[in-house]
Amino acid sequence: MWQSSPPGSIYDYIRVASFSIGPDGLIEQWSRRAAGLFGIAADRAVGMDPVEAFMPAELRTDGRRRVGEILDGREWTGLVPFRIPGEEAVHGLAEIYVMPSETESGERAALCIVVDVRALRHIETDLAASQAIFGQSPFGFVLFGTDLSVIRANQRFATVFGGRAEEHRGRTVDDYLSGTEADRLTVTIQRVLETGTSVTDLRIVGTAPGAGSRHWSMNLYRVHSGSGRPIGVAGLATDVTRRHIAAREAASARRNLALLNEASARIGNSLDLETTARELLDVAVPGFCDLASVDLYQGLLTGDDAPPGSWDSLRQESVGGSAELRRVALASAVADVLPDTAAETGSPELGSVHRFSFNSPCAVALRTGHVEDVPGDDRGFVQSTLAVPMVAHDTVVGLVQFSRTKGSEPFGERDRALATELAARAAVCIDNARLYRREHERALILQRSLLPPGDPVAAGLDIACRYLPGNTATEVGGDWFDVIELPGHRTALVVGDVMGRGLRAAVAMGELRTAVRTLALLDLEPAEVLSALDEVARGLGTPGGAGASGGSQWPSRAAHRSREADLSEVYLATCVYAVYDPVTRRCTFANAGHLPPVVVEPGEAALLLDVPPGMPLGVGGEPFEEVEVELKEGSLLALYTDGLVESRDHPLDEGLEALRAALVEPERPIEDVCDHVLSTLETGHGEDDIALLVARIQGLPADAVGDWRLPREPRSVGRARELARGRLLDWGLDDLVDTTELLVSELVTNALRYGEGEIRLRLLRDRTLVCEVWDAGLVQPRRRRARDTDEGGRGLQLVGLLSVAWGSRRTPRGKTVWFELALPDGAPAAELSVEQLLSMY
């Protein structure tokens, strides 16, 4: 029986053996289990004296006595130490049950049953430990049988799910979990039972009676019998609900930080209001919510100066509802159902102008500046919505709504704080864009007001101009161009670029343009104009004017750094200044760090003029050089700023080559030339302003010029009158003969009286009549009021009264005094009034 016990019997766990003693007290039969227990094979054990073989020496006397009593027919049970023969040490303790028996011949014998006490003690210890662990464990302990039903559960498990521990015997996973969780756990237990592979930290979600939703971490492993046969799966479950909540909150905090970091990087990259609103929604959907929309005040979008969402104006809103808003951005992670939902709930469409009703959560949020909860619609799919005002510098610029659909986690306090932060960041960027746009518009208005209106008209030149401001994403620059009429039908052409952007650059441009015009009227040489303009620029760039240092002789380091910053950002400028004489068709250039002019002569390729660049205005310390160039009839002259030929994608050299290639047909109409240049070159980048001035050289016809040299003698006055009269009659300007004769005689007389050297008389007819008298004297004429008793001294007063304009300028060899008369238009010439005549006395 013992040797053929079925698997799972008690004999798999305890060590039981048997042997028999014959009438002679020697071992007669020896079982296999005895061989396993004592370590002696049967062929050696049979015939041995068990007392001598297995008992220690001090117990042998008593042992022989016991054997004798047994052979006399007495039963005996007791504990006997034993050892393996040949070994001195005691190897164990055996419990022996001896039953008397008889042989076939009727002699007395005995049957001995031996149990290894150590194995029993191990079993007892294991049972006690198992009971202690199973019963006293603070974790839920459950044992599933091979049929996946509960064989045993501890009290902790019963405490969670109710009832006593023994009442859970026979239950299945479906009695504790529902739906997919029960199926998932069942499949996992079956896999562990079949494969023997343990599963650790299996997350299970269920509902405990009276405790609501819980989260458990479960470890599963297969349990075997003593013979190694699988008898079930043990499960140890730990409640990790708090850990799950903490992990979820930590994950939420990490997600919020990641969203804020992403918001910092992505929101505000554009100065466009609607683009900024879309950037906010790109961050929020789907990382934070499922649906979102942005509404901005209509007044903000139309450019009203008064902020529509200031606290005072919000509190004074009428009971009719909020101010008008426009939906500028809309985003959804469930776009397939968004149109239907918008139609059902009446949500404003993208681009629509609307108002929120006065008592609605959205209107309340706009008035109070606090986040409001918008209840969801039971019939819709939106679970909850946060209406978050967009507040920047105590100004509400709009409203953003974040929505989560049913099935998503509802908004919590952390989410409200994050929504407020996201809206605030976007609001600051939108408010900055609003302020920038206002400054941009003002700077653009200022800049355009300072540019010449339309295409200027100049003698001997056909001129076309173009100005393209940067796009709305860039600030207005300081580019400018100007065409200034100079005496003698000469023309000054100016193109400049103030370094820096914004309103300050536009103001600096206006100041420098005004200074250029003032200096040009002094009729200085181009290099002198730039030198004087450089001094002006350096004076404008001094922070706070001359008294900024508070009376100290030496400026502080901070003032020095501030001055350097101002110079580099605003008052440094490049400029090219050219003076064209239509009589000689010669043009004199001076350059202050600007790009070289381009000249295209008929039949020739475009050429970059080699004009020494010089230093930018405001640097100081370096002289400017002049270059004089004679231009052929029909040539093109192009002045421009760097925005035309340079961008991030096109380096300067490539842009200059492209400009030269675009100026290939100088005979085309001048307006077409400008349009062709702008359409050929890459001018749509919007990175910088673009100024372009193109002039076609025409020159004055030879028959429109009268030029004579007169000796320095009194009769030259009469000769000058005769020459002037004859040329005016040839030109058909009979109405100007008397006035011209009178004024010419006055200027020639002054040249004889106060001047030096040979006298030169020149008449120029273009849109007006210009008369010039040249001499070698350096003393400039000065108009003065003659006394009543003076016989002379009224000539220049007469010139000033009868001419449209008059003046004098220095020349390389003396001076030139000139006056200008308007050409007759057929109307009677205006006569001097009595007051004008009396003003000379």
Side-chain angles (χ1 to χ4, degrees):
M1 288 291 294
W2 297 330
Q3 299 301 328
S4 60
S5 60
S9 69
I10 188 63
Y11 304 111
D12 291 337
Y13 301 95
I14 61 175
R15 302 178 69 183
V16 179
S18 63
F19 63 91
S20 63
I21 299 175
D24 55 1
L26 302 178
I27 296 174
E28 190 176 63
Q29 292 182 339
W30 189 256
S31 67
R32 293 179 180 177
R33 287 186 180 271
L37 176 62
F38 294 104
I40 299 175
D43 57 348
R44 288 181 54 203
V46 174
M48 294 179 63
D49 183 352
V51 174
E52 292 292 334
F54 301 108
M55 296 187 68
E58 64 273 12
L59 299 178
R60 289 174 184 171
T61 302
D62 186 59
R64 292 189 184 94
R65 181 175 59 84
R66 296 290 184 184
V67 171
E69 292 176 353
I70 292 170
L71 294 177
D72 288 340
R74 296 181 61 183
E75 292 185 3
W76 181 81
T77 301
L79 297 175
V80 179
F82 68 90
R83 64 178 179 83
I84 297 175
E87 298 288 340
E88 296 296 331
V90 176
H91 284 265
L93 184 66
E95 182 176 352
I96 299 178
Y97 177 45
V98 182
M99 297 176 291
S101 62
E102 291 181 358
T103 63
E104 294 179 356
S105 61
E107 292 181 301
R108 299 289 180 92
L111 177 63
C112 301
I113 299 175
V114 183
V115 178
D116 189 350
V117 175
R118 292 181 305 172
L120 293 176
R121 297 292 184 268
H122 288 163
I123 293 174
E124 182 182 30
T125 302
D126 290 344
L127 290 175
S130 175
Q131 181 61 30
I133 294 174
F134 200 84
Q136 301 172 19
S137 172
F139 308 112
F141 217 123
V142 62
L143 180 62
F144 297 96
T146 54
D147 60 352
L148 305 188
S149 63
V150 176
I151 298 176
R152 187 177 180 185
N154 69 348
Q155 188 57 43
R156 176 59 182 170
F157 184 87
T159 301
V160 174
F161 291 100
R164 294 176 299 172
E166 55 270 18
E167 293 176 354
H168 291 271
R169 187 183 300 273
R171 295 184 181 180
T172 64
V173 171
D174 295 314
D175 295 319
Y176 306 104
L177 303 174
S178 60
T180 57
E181 289 294 284
D183 295 339
R184 187 164 64 92
L185 181 56
T186 300
V187 170
T188 304
I189 295 174
Q190 183 68 43
R191 185 172 65 251
V192 172
L193 184 62
E194 293 174 354
T195 64
T197 303
S198 301
V199 173
T200 59
D201 198 22
L202 175 67
R203 296 302 176 97
I204 301 296
V205 180
T207 302
S213 178
R214 309 299 293 176
H215 293 259
W216 292 284
S217 172
M218 200 163 189
N219 298 326
L220 299 171
Y221 57 93
R222 191 168 68 181
V223 180
H224 305 85
S225 66
S227 61
R229 180 179 60 88
I231 61 173
V233 175
L236 179 65
T238 305
D239 192 328
V240 293
T241 304
R242 292 184 179 179
R243 188 192 311 170
H244 173 77
I245 295 174
R248 185 177 60 186
E249 291 180 352
S252 176
R254 288 192 298 269
R255 181 200 64 186
N256 292 352
L257 288 175
L259 279 174
L260 289 177
N261 183 59
E262 184 181 5
S264 300
R266 298 182 61 180
I267 299 176
N269 293 322
S270 169
L271 288 173
D272 180 71
L273 302 179
E274 297 183 6
T275 301
T276 302
R278 289 193 295 269
E279 290 171 346
L280 168 62
L281 299 194
D282 289 342
V283 172
V285 179
F288 177 67
C289 61
D290 301 316
L291 308 171
S293 63
V294 176
D295 300 306
L296 297 180
Y297 278 108
Q298 180 70 356
L300 182 77
L301 297 169
T302 56
D304 292 347
D305 286 341
S310 60
W311 296 127
D312 292 338
S313 63
L314 286 173
R315 294 191 181 99
Q316 295 173 3
E317 285 185 354
S318 65
V319 294
S322 67
E324 285 188 341
L325 298 105
R326 185 193 303 171
R327 179 143 294 180
V328 297
L330 191 64
S332 171
V334 285
D336 53 335
V337 296
L338 182 58
D340 296 337
T341 304
E344 293 176 2
T345 60
S347 177
E349 297 179 354
L350 183 64
S352 64
V353 178
H354 60 93
R355 295 175 182 266
F356 292 114
S357 59
F358 185 78
N359 293 322
S360 65
C362 293
V364 173
L366 289 171
R367 287 196 303 272
T368 62
H370 299 301
V371 181
E372 293 290 329
D373 292 313
V374 180
D377 186 357
D378 294 337
R379 296 172 298 174
F381 73 100
V382 175
Q383 176 181 222
S384 61
T385 299
L386 295 178
V388 187
M390 306 177 71
V391 183
H393 309 117
D394 291 339
T395 298
V396 178
V397 298
L399 183 80
V400 57
Q401 297 183 64
F402 301 108
S403 301
R404 288 181 179 173
T405 58
K406 292 181 178 178
S408 299
E409 186 177 353
F411 290 112
E413 287 302 319
R414 291 180 181 269
D415 296 322
R416 293 170 65 92
L418 177 61
T420 303
E421 179 65 22
L422 289 175
R425 294 194 179 199
V428 170
C429 296
I430 288 175
D431 193 52
N432 290 340
R434 175 183 68 86
L435 296 175
Y436 162 78
R437 184 176 64 180
R438 184 176 64 183
E439 179 175 335
H440 183 275
E441 292 173 351
R442 291 177 178 177
L444 192 59
I445 292 172
L446 173 63
Q447 188 176 45
R448 287 184 169 175
S449 68
L450 295 173
L451 295 176
D455 290 329
V457 178
L461 293 175
D462 187 9
I463 299 176
C465 304
R466 295 291 187 272
Y467 172 74
L468 301 178
N471 57 35
T472 56
T474 60
E475 296 185 82
V476 172
D479 295 13
W480 92 91
F481 63 88
D482 208 348
V483 178
I484 308 170
E485 293 187 61
L486 300 177
H489 286 313
R490 295 172 302 129
T491 304
L493 305 176
V494 189
V495 170
D497 185 1
V498 175
M499 297 182 187
R501 295 182 181 277
L503 188 59
R504 296 182 66 196
V507 171
M509 178 272 286
E511 293 174 325
L512 293 177
R513 178 179 179 272
T514 302
V516 170
R517 280 190 160 266
T518 302
L519 294 169
L521 294 178
L522 297 178
D523 211 356
L524 303 175
E525 296 298 321
E528 295 177 324
V529 170
L530 292 186
S531 296
L533 192 62
D534 179 63
E535 293 292 334
V536 173
R538 283 190 289 163
L540 294 175
T542 303
S549 61
S552 174
Q553 181 180 1
W554 305 104
S556 65
R557 289 186 177 179
H560 180 69
R561 287 194 299 267
S562 175
R563 180 176 184 276
E564 288 181 348
D566 286 349
L567 287 173
S568 64
E569 293 177 4
V570 177
Y571 290 108
L572 287 181
T574 63
C575 178
V576 61
Y577 185 89
V579 175
Y580 171 70
D581 188 343
V583 178
T584 62
R585 294 198 313 276
R586 299 187 72 84
C587 191
T588 305
F589 297 91
N591 193 352
H594 203 79
L595 295 174
V598 178
V599 172
V600 187
E601 294 184 347
E604 301 291 338
L607 175 67
L608 296 176
L609 289 182
D610 186 14
V611 180
M615 298 298 293
L617 301 175
V619 174
E622 294 292 334
F624 297 97
E625 300 182 35
E626 293 181 359
V627 172
E628 189 176 60
V629 179
E630 183 175 353
L631 302 175
K632 294 182 179 180
E633 186 80 15
S635 299
L636 287 182
L637 173 64
L639 305 178
Y640 52 94
T641 57
D642 57 0
L644 179 67
V645 294
E646 186 177 24
S647 68
R648 293 189 181 94
D649 300 327
H650 298 84
L652 180 60
D653 292 343
E654 292 183 6
L656 291 174
E657 288 300 319
L659 175 60
R660 292 178 57 193
L663 294 169
V664 292
E665 299 180 15
E667 68 279 359
R668 298 174 62 178
I670 196 69
E671 295 291 338
D672 293 347
V673 171
C674 275
D675 293 338
H676 177 69
V677 169
L678 294 181
S679 61
T680 303
L681 273 67
E682 179 60 41
T683 59
H685 52 78
E687 298 172 8
D688 196 3
D689 295 4
I690 296 174
L692 173 65
L693 187 153
V694 180
R696 173 173 285 114
I697 305 301
Q698 295 176 334
L700 288 180
D703 59 359
V705 179
D707 194 353
W708 306 277
R709 297 182 183 274
L710 303 172
R712 189 171 186 79
E713 55 188 26
R715 64 179 182 176
S716 293
V717 177
R719 179 59 180 164
R721 286 198 300 266
E722 293 175 3
L723 294 172
R725 172 184 285 273
R727 185 53 57 92
L728 291 181
L729 292 177
D730 293 341
W731 288 342
L733 301 177
D734 302 34
D735 294 343
L736 298 181
V737 170
D738 294 339
T739 302
T740 303
E741 277 190 300
L742 175 61
L743 299 184
V744 165
S745 64
E746 289 291 338
L747 295 187
V748 173
T749 300
N750 284 344
L752 289 172
R753 181 176 299 177
Y754 305 108
E756 298 177 5
E758 187 182 36
I759 299 172
R760 182 182 176 187
L761 172 64
R762 191 168 72 167
L763 295 179
L764 307 174
R765 177 178 61 84
D766 191 68
R767 289 175 293 111
T768 61
L769 176 67
V770 174
C771 176
E772 299 175 331
V773 176
W774 305 39
D775 71 80
L778 298 178
V779 179
Q780 297 291 324
R782 182 172 60 88
R783 183 177 177 179
R784 63 183 179 86
R785 182 177 294 278
R787 292 174 296 185
D788 296 343
T789 57
D790 291 342
E791 295 183 1
R794 298 179 179 87
L796 292 181
Q797 293 188 49
L798 188 62
V799 172
L801 287 174
L802 296 179
S803 65
V804 174
W806 78 279
S808 67
R809 68 178 185 274
R810 290 184 295 117
T811 65
R813 297 180 181 179
K815 68 178 181 295
T816 299
V817 185
W818 58 271
F819 67 83
E820 183 177 349
L821 297 176
L823 298 182
D825 56 2
E831 297 182 357
L832 296 177
S833 65
V834 176
E835 290 76 8
Q836 289 175 325
L837 293 174
L838 291 177
S839 66
M840 295 187 294
Y841 296 92

